[in-house]
Amino acid sequence: MKFTLKNAKDFGWKDLKGKAYNSYEDFKNVSAAYFEVTGSHGKVKTTHSDRVYLVLEGKGEFTIEGEKIPVEKDDVIIVPKNNEYDYRATEKVLKLFLVHSPAYLPEAEINL
C-alpha cells in the first residue's frame, strides 16, 4: 500500500494543522499523519490506538500522565492507549510524523 502527502486529507484546529495519509477505512491496522504544531495540542487520551510520534523539526514538550518530556528533532515518543497526554511547541513550529496502531478512530479520542 502506498499513501502520499499529495492525496492526504487536511485536518486541524487553532494551533495544529496537518494531513492524514490514510484512515481506518483505508487500512485498519495502522494510520499515519504529518502535522505542524504552533501552540498546544490539548489534553486527550485514546482508548483505541497506541501512538508513535517522530519529531521531524523543532523543539517541544510532551506531557504523558503528568510527566513532562522535552523533545527535539529525531526523538521518538510512544504514547500507549489509555494514557492522558498533551504536547506543545516550545519554539515557533514543532513538526511531527504520527503513526496510530491500530488506525485512528475519532470516536476513541477523549478530550480532557
Side-chain angles (χ1 to χ4, degrees), residues 3 6-7 17 26 28 73-74 78 92 99 109:
F3 300 99
K6 177 180 144 184
N7 295 322
K17 301 291 181 228
D26 299 320
K28 292 178 176 35
K73 184 180 179 189
D74 299 329
I78 298 172
K92 281 186 167 186
V99 175
E109 183 109 342

Side-chain angles (χ1 to χ4, degrees), residues 38-55:
T38 55
S40 176
H41 173 272
K43 192 174 183 180
V44 297
K45 82 172 178 179
T46 181
T47 60
H48 181 70
S49 303
D50 295 321
R51 295 180 177 192
V52 180
Y53 292 86
L54 170 62
V55 180

Side-chain angles (χ1 to χ4, degrees), residues 1-3 9-10 13 18 24 27 32 37 39 43 49 57 59 62 71 73 78-79 83 85 88 90 97 106-107 109:
M1 290 184 169
K2 177 180 176 180
F3 300 99
K9 181 180 176 186
D10 291 333
W13 49 91
Y24 186 83
F27 186 65
V37 183
K43 192 174 183 180
S49 303
E57 189 177 308
K59 292 185 179 181
F62 275 71
V71 297
K73 184 180 179 189
I78 298 172
V79 181
N83 279 247
Y85 74 100
R88 65 185 182 90
T90 57
F97 184 80
E107 58 269 24
E109 183 109 342

Side-chain angles (χ1 to χ4, degrees), residues 4-5 10 16 19 43 45 72 83 89 93-94 96 104 106:
T4 65
L5 190 58
D10 291 333
L16 187 147
K19 293 193 171 277
K43 192 174 183 180
K45 82 172 178 179
E72 59 187 32
N83 279 247
V93 179
L94 178 63
L96 300 167
Y104 175 70

Side-chain angles (χ1 to χ4, degrees), residues 67-87:
E67 178 185 355
K68 293 187 183 295
I69 305 165
V71 297
E72 59 187 32
K73 184 180 179 189
D74 299 329
D75 287 347
V76 169
I77 293 290
I78 298 172
V79 181
K81 69 179 178 182
N82 295 314
N83 279 247
E84 293 180 3
Y85 74 100
D86 190 4
Y87 51 87

